[in-house]
Amino acid sequence: MLIESRRRAYLNAMQVVHWLPRTELPFAAPSRPELLLPLVPEGVPEFDVPSVEPARVAVAAPVARSGERPKIEIPRPGTLPKVASKKVEEADAAPVPAKPKPVSPPRFALQLLRAGSCLLLVELATGEPFQSRDPSYLLLKDMLRAAGLPDSPQIIGEPVRWPLLVRGNLDQGPQAATDFVQGFIQARLEEAPCVCLWLIGLPAVRFAGEADAEAYYRELPVEGLGTAWALPGLELLMDEPQRKADVWQAMRRLMARWKPSDE
């Protein structure tokens, strides 16, 4: 059995200040009777606390700081109104105008020749330059003799073949072809002018004279090129010989242009 001094040392080590033995211990100091009384809980003062409703705090709109850009709220896809979605659906359902189909470039070959005071822009039906024994070239020589012009025309430059490029994004439509052919002839006219430009063949009439087959046998005033004479192609004249009479009648009316002494 522990003595009182050692017991107190143990209790102090365990930080037990108030203790009370279950039985009376031998040699123990007499107990204090006030420690044996039951503990009475201290009274809690009652206060009348008025019921206070939670105050509504007005949240002020954030004020943009100086130097800062105001934030723009971007609506999310899920928050868009249904009316807007209907408009979008109606716009999608509206027919989209069809894009114009690209115009395929025309294909032709033209040869420019000079006979006396006239220039001749002649269609090359085969795409190849004239040969001395070609039937179409022999017909051209006969027409020049009938017109009183030298029957050995001078070939000017290489044949004009269209389209210029096989591939690429360059515009090679009909208007581009017209601009190129007319520019080519204008450059030759600056070197040596002429009194009349013969346009022989539909490609020559279309892309130099800006006319069609209805202009055959007639004079055409062409801006920048002067007066032109529209004629059917040499191949067409050989296939339809009756057209030669129309060529001769028109030639007699125009012959004074390059043969003024015969008036």
Side-chain angles (χ1 to χ4, degrees), residues 68-249:
E68 294 184 359
R69 295 181 178 178
K71 296 182 179 180
I72 302 175
E73 296 183 359
I74 302 176
R76 299 181 180 178
T79 60
L80 292 176
K82 295 183 179 180
V83 178
S85 62
K86 290 182 180 180
K87 291 183 180 179
V88 173
E89 292 176 359
E90 292 176 359
D92 295 339
V96 180
K99 295 182 179 180
K101 295 182 180 180
V103 180
S104 58
R107 298 182 179 277
F108 58 84
L110 302 173
Q111 179 66 65
L112 187 64
L113 305 97
R114 179 178 290 276
S117 59
C118 293
L119 281 179
L120 290 74
L121 185 65
V122 187
E123 174 191 8
L124 298 176
T126 62
E128 298 298 327
F130 286 122
Q131 301 296 326
S132 60
R133 303 307 300 173
D134 286 346
S136 58
Y137 185 67
L138 295 176
L139 175 59
L140 179 62
K141 291 170 67 72
D142 292 341
M143 294 172 61
L144 292 175
R145 281 195 295 268
L149 295 171
D151 61 354
S152 297
Q154 175 189 359
I155 296 177
I156 301 178
E158 295 294 325
V160 177
R161 292 184 173 88
W162 197 269
L164 294 176
L165 303 176
V166 179
R167 299 178 181 177
N169 298 326
L170 182 66
D171 180 17
Q172 301 187 96
Q175 186 59 47
T178 299
D179 296 341
F180 182 84
V181 173
Q182 291 183 348
F184 175 76
I185 299 174
Q186 287 176 359
R188 305 289 80 80
L189 290 176
E190 291 178 358
E191 297 173 357
C194 73
V195 295
C196 186
L197 172 64
W198 293 22
L199 303 178
I200 305 176
L202 186 57
V205 175
R206 179 172 295 167
F207 298 107
E210 300 185 54
D212 51 19
E214 295 181 357
Y216 285 161
Y217 321 113
R218 298 199 318 233
E219 291 181 273
L220 300 175
V222 183
E223 184 179 358
L225 303 182
T227 302
W229 181 30
L231 294 170
L234 299 176
E235 296 290 334
L236 183 59
L237 290 176
M238 290 189 296
D239 294 339
E240 301 178 10
Q242 67 274 14
R243 290 179 177 267
K244 294 180 182 179
D246 297 329
V247 173
W248 172 246
Q249 291 179 3

